[in-house]
Amino acid sequence: MGAWGTGLYSDDFALDVKSEFLDAINSGKPYREAFEELKKTYVDNTYNDDPDIPVFWFVCADILWKKGRLDEDIKQTALAYIESNSDVERWNLESSALGKKRKTVLEKLKAKLLSPQPEAKPIRIKKFYECPWNIGDVFAIPLQGEEAKKHNLIGTYLIFQVADKMLFSTTTNKTVGDLVPIIRVQLSFAKEIPQLNDYNGNSIVQMRHECPATDFKKVYAIELDIFFNREVPKNLIFIGNKELIVPDDDYGIRYEGFEIYNSFVSTTFRFLEDKCIRCYFGYNLKGFSE
């Protein structure tokens, strides 16, 4: 079992179901439609004796009860699995003490499901951020942080180009989420407002050390996590759009077997300039100890 406790959500599978269910609901999908799609994935397409099936019904019934939208057939199925004791028996195989704790958890769930559910709550559709920038757009932002001060770069600019966009999703099937930019960055080292030609590919900041996972090539792209319009700095300057500039030794953004998205090369505007300055002096100028 991918579980670390007897609680209803102390289980990888339970959390996956919960996450996907809530994401579907929050994206505007009707409750019953969202449930049926999950059921098709986790119940209809599995073996009848799959030990995770009861957990699926427990989680869905719990969520729907809290939302005031628990249909009778879903409630009765969840109650039937509780009464069958099959889930508790699975825990008894681990130890009788764990089985006893799990039984207490399910008895509390049973009492909840048999009690009047709350008044149905309106669906509050979550608004995901969708990056409005185009591939090739170039922006500049003045440097003013601690790393800029340390390296005498206050008043100079960080310039970046939008190289791609990616879906930042916390769901298992990666179907809904925020659309965020992938960028490549260079430092201007000048206090004049940058022009489009100033983003010329000279000393684009290396964001990750070479390693076997990147075929010992350099990673220049970085995921810029933006989830709300208010996170975009007011002093961000749009310079223009130009053909993508990609260093000859660039590993790229995504290749089979490895994705920049999974390499932890990501940041937010809050930390962007400090990270880029550190990476420039560390990787480009070999300031990081080997």
Side-chain angles (χ1 to χ4, degrees):
M1 291 186 292
W4 54 92
T6 57
L8 184 58
Y9 295 103
S10 300
D11 178 306
D12 288 332
F13 177 78
L15 288 178
D16 284 345
V17 173
K18 178 183 178 181
S19 175
E20 288 193 42
F21 200 4
L22 292 178
D23 280 332
I25 293 169
N26 291 336
S27 67
K29 188 163 291 186
Y31 283 84
R32 189 73 198 205
E33 182 180 339
F35 167 79
E36 293 295 342
E37 288 184 1
L38 279 179
K39 178 175 173 289
K40 184 176 181 179
T41 299
Y42 290 114
V43 177
D44 297 345
N45 291 332
T46 60
Y47 293 107
N48 292 333
D49 60 352
D50 189 320
D52 283 330
I53 289 179
V55 178
F56 169 85
W57 288 95
F58 300 156
V59 169
C60 290
D62 182 59
I63 291 173
L64 290 168
W65 185 93
K66 290 175 182 176
K67 298 288 186 181
R69 296 177 182 263
L70 178 58
D71 291 338
E72 187 65 21
D73 60 327
I74 299 174
K75 180 177 79 172
Q76 291 303 326
T77 302
L79 289 172
Y81 275 115
I82 294 174
E83 290 297 325
S84 74
N85 222 38
S86 60
D87 185 75
V88 173
E89 288 302 320
R90 181 168 63 140
W91 283 91
N92 278 330
L93 294 175
E94 299 288 326
S95 78
S96 58
L98 289 176
K100 185 176 180 180
K101 288 182 179 180
R102 182 64 169 185
K103 187 173 182 64
T104 299
V105 169
L106 296 184
E107 286 298 327
K108 288 181 179 179
L109 176 61
K110 176 182 176 181
K112 177 193 289 187
L113 299 182
L114 290 173
S115 67
Q117 60 183 315
E119 184 178 347
K121 296 176 175 61
I123 297 175
R124 301 173 69 176
I125 299 175
K126 179 179 179 180
K127 293 183 178 180
F128 292 101
Y129 178 80
E130 185 171 352
C131 178
W133 304 336
N134 296 313
I135 306 300
D137 280 355
V138 179
F139 296 86
I141 189 168
L143 298 176
Q144 53 194 13
E146 288 300 316
E147 289 293 323
K149 183 177 180 180
K150 175 181 175 181
H151 294 282
N152 197 29
L153 293 174
I154 295 291
T156 64
Y157 289 82
L158 178 153
I159 315 172
F160 67 83
Q161 184 178 45
V162 180
D164 203 346
K165 300 181 187 181
M166 65 157 281
L167 184 68
F168 184 98
S169 176
T170 57
T171 62
T172 303
N173 56 14
K174 307 296 182 186
T175 56
V176 294
D178 301 279
L179 189 64
V180 302
I182 306 293
I183 63 174
R184 292 189 182 92
V185 178
Q186 77 176 55
L187 304 177
S188 75
F189 299 105
K191 294 190 175 182
E192 296 79 16
I193 296 177
Q195 303 301 307
L196 191 58
N197 287 337
D198 290 327
Y199 185 80
N200 50 29
N202 291 334
S203 298
I204 290 181
V205 178
Q206 182 181 341
M207 296 297 179
R208 191 177 193 269
H209 62 82
E210 303 93 324
C211 65
T214 64
D215 295 331
F216 294 98
K217 292 184 178 180
K218 297 175 181 178
V219 172
Y220 295 96
I222 184 169
E223 169 193 323
L224 183 57
D225 293 335
I226 308 171
F227 305 119
F228 303 96
N229 287 320
R230 65 175 179 269
E231 294 175 351
V232 179
K234 296 186 184 301
N235 59 351
L236 184 68
I237 303 168
F238 173 65
I239 300 176
N241 185 285
K242 66 187 301 181
E243 185 177 349
L244 286 179
I245 295 179
V246 183
D248 292 337
D249 58 351
D250 185 19
Y251 177 80
I253 295 175
R254 57 171 83 83
Y255 281 80
E256 185 176 356
F258 176 82
E259 290 186 352
I260 191 72
Y261 313 154
N262 296 329
S263 66
F264 304 105
V265 186
S266 65
T267 190
T268 63
F269 265 117
R270 180 181 177 185
F271 302 106
L272 177 64
E273 69 164 88
D274 280 354
K275 180 177 181 65
C276 290
I277 294 171
R278 283 196 299 270
C279 286
Y280 177 78
F281 284 94
Y283 291 129
N284 294 65
L285 299 188
K286 309 300 182 185
F288 289 153
S289 59
E290 295 298 330

